[in-house]
Amino acid sequence: MAQDLGLDDPEEGDNLYEFVEEFCMKPEVLCNFLRLVESDYSKENPYHNGIHASDVMQTTFALLQMGGDKFSSSPLELFSLLLAAACHDMGHPGRNNSFEVNSHSELSVIYNDSSVLENMHAARACRLLTRQPGDADLNADILVGLQKTQKEAFRASFTKAILCTDMSQHFAKVAQLKSKISHFGTSDPLKFYVNSDGRSMSCVLQFILHLADISNPAKPAPVFVEWCDRCLNEFFAQGDAEKKAYMPVSPMCDRDVTVKSDSQLGFIKFIVRPSFVLLSDLVPRAVDEILPILESNLRYWEDVKLKEEEEAEEEEEEGRP
């Protein structure tokens, strides 16, 4: 694969995923598929765009390389997870599930108000995977080399991984992993497989994709600040639309009341940090390679918050007679 792309061969001892050779893919066909995936992300979205998708895919890969891949039972499982990372927000409208449900959108009707966007993303991705190209279409059939049973297994794990990026499932997923660790420890990867619609799937791999999706506060400076700004810009645009339509304004979407530092402090303290601490029980490298960055970024937002409070006090004093 490296030679096909004009790159240097990897060094001996590198942890390689030879998906192209393993699943009889042509590099140009895989590139076609990824270009079509990229084209389905809106460039108008400040946050949920192709850059976010590539970032989540790269972060998923990094977490696997740090040791997360030991919780996989096959290369097909890893391949489906990385492709799910690339596809997990395809067609994102720049609005969240609350907006879709409260606006009674067509998507909310189709998916019965349940994981509306995640179901849509998975459906668009699977439609691309199974489409029959015409003469004028790019050949993007990356699964042509798989057997029927492999295709079925790929689609099941691929779809489930995308559905597990729904934030409404976050605390249930955390509780599930904590229970597994409490009962079985961390040494046997097979203990982390759960039955899902008649198939055995790794809850650790699903959790890794979910963490990659919310990993912005775990990125080095200045990247974490840039992602925060992009995310809030998209949230505020939704809040403006909700106000205009006389809908309830979703949490963190009201530009008039949301404080950036508070939003990040809460997100890190109650969502991101506990999740990566849990992951560190399974992937010990996270202790030295991720948690220190999180702590540094937490201190950054605490300093911002303190400065905001001091400036507010000064303005208040200046306004006194």
Side-chain angles (χ1 to χ4, degrees), residues 21-50:
E21 291 78 8
E22 180 87 21
F23 304 122
C24 303
M25 287 185 289
K26 294 182 178 179
E28 60 269 24
V29 173
L30 178 59
C31 289
N32 289 343
F33 175 81
L34 293 174
R35 289 190 184 101
L36 290 172
V37 170
E38 181 183 22
S39 69
D40 204 39
Y41 282 89
S42 173
K43 295 180 180 179
E44 302 301 317
N45 291 344
Y47 181 75
H48 287 103
N49 51 40

Side-chain angles (χ1 to χ4, degrees), residues 274-310:
S275 300
F276 275 101
V277 168
L278 179 60
L279 181 71
S280 70
D281 290 337
L282 304 164
V283 182
R285 282 178 59 182
V287 172
D288 295 324
E289 298 182 36
I290 297 177
L291 295 183
I293 297 175
L294 263 174
E295 294 300 327
S296 174
N297 294 347
L298 182 61
R299 290 192 297 271
Y300 171 88
W301 291 118
E302 288 172 339
D303 290 343
V304 171
K305 176 66 175 175
L306 181 61
K307 184 177 180 181
E308 291 171 344
E309 291 174 344
E310 291 173 346

Side-chain angles (χ1 to χ4, degrees), residues 175-212:
Q176 181 187 51
L177 267 185
K178 284 184 176 179
S179 177
K180 291 281 188 182
I181 293 172
S182 175
H183 283 87
F184 305 116
T186 61
S187 61
D188 186 357
L190 293 178
K191 296 296 185 182
F192 291 89
Y193 276 75
V194 296
N195 185 283
S196 178
D197 299 325
R199 290 184 180 273
S200 182
M201 299 184 184
S202 172
C203 61
V204 175
L205 295 185
Q206 294 170 1
F207 192 64
I208 282 175
L209 174 53
H210 170 54
L211 284 197

Side-chain angles (χ1 to χ4, degrees), residues 8 23 71 137 141:
D8 294 334
F23 304 122
F71 293 93
D137 294 326
D141 188 359

Side-chain angles (χ1 to χ4, degrees), residues 27-269:
E28 60 269 24
V29 173
L30 178 59
C31 289
N32 289 343
F33 175 81
L34 293 174
R35 289 190 184 101
L36 290 172
V37 170
E38 181 183 22
S39 69
D40 204 39
Y41 282 89
S42 173
K43 295 180 180 179
E44 302 301 317
N45 291 344
Y47 181 75
H48 287 103
N49 51 40
I51 302 172
H52 168 67
S54 61
D55 176 69
V56 172
M57 187 180 190
Q58 172 60 29
T59 304
T60 300
F61 174 77
L63 294 175
L64 292 174
Q65 289 281 295
M66 288 170 64
D69 57 3
K70 75 177 182 181
F71 293 93
S72 167
S73 61
S74 70
L76 185 64
E77 200 171 28
L78 294 174
F79 180 54
S80 67
L81 186 74
L82 287 166
L83 261 292
C87 300
H88 81 283
D89 274 333
M90 283 179 63
H92 200 291
R95 307 287 189 262
N96 65 19
N97 281 333
S98 294
F99 185 93
E100 297 297 327
V101 172
N102 291 333
S103 65
H104 308 293
S105 70
E106 183 179 357
L107 286 176
S108 72
V109 174
I110 292 173
Y111 297 113
N112 299 309
D113 296 344
S114 178
S115 298
V116 175
L117 292 178
E118 291 74 23
N119 273 294
M120 181 268 288
H121 303 320
R124 293 177 79 101
C126 287
R127 190 177 298 118
L128 180 58
L129 284 167
T130 58
R131 77 170 191 164
Q132 298 298 316
D135 293 338
D137 294 326
L138 290 173
N139 179 7
D141 188 359
I142 60 173
L143 305 183
V144 67
L146 300 185
Q147 301 296 320
K148 183 175 183 294
T149 54
Q150 288 180 306
K151 290 181 180 180
E152 292 171 351
F154 174 93
R155 182 175 177 183
S157 58
F158 173 84
T159 302
K160 187 64 176 178
I162 293 176
L163 294 179
C164 285
T165 62
D166 184 352
M167 270 300 300
S168 70
Q169 299 182 24
H170 172 78
F171 291 106
K173 293 295 182 185
V174 168
Q176 181 187 51
L177 267 185
K178 284 184 176 179
S179 177
K180 291 281 188 182
I181 293 172
S182 175
H183 283 87
F184 305 116
T186 61
S187 61
D188 186 357
L190 293 178
K191 296 296 185 182
F192 291 89
Y193 276 75
V194 296
N195 185 283
S196 178
D197 299 325
R199 290 184 180 273
S200 182
M201 299 184 184
S202 172
C203 61
V204 175
L205 295 185
Q206 294 170 1
F207 192 64
I208 282 175
L209 174 53
H210 170 54
L211 284 197
D213 195 25
I214 62 171
S215 66
N216 298 333
K219 302 295 170 62
V223 176
F224 74 96
V225 178
E226 174 69 18
W227 278 126
C228 171
D229 290 340
R230 285 175 171 268
C231 190
L232 287 179
N233 285 340
E234 190 167 300
F235 283 2
F236 292 158
Q238 172 177 320
D240 294 343
E242 289 170 329
K243 290 177 182 178
K244 187 175 181 180
Y246 300 100
M247 292 165 51
V249 180
S250 300
M252 312 305 301
C253 293
D254 192 334
R255 67 173 71 245
D256 297 321
V257 300
T258 299
V259 178
K260 181 162 65 171
S261 60
D262 285 340
S263 73
Q264 296 307 294
L265 287 171
F267 189 43
I268 294 173
K269 289 180 179 179

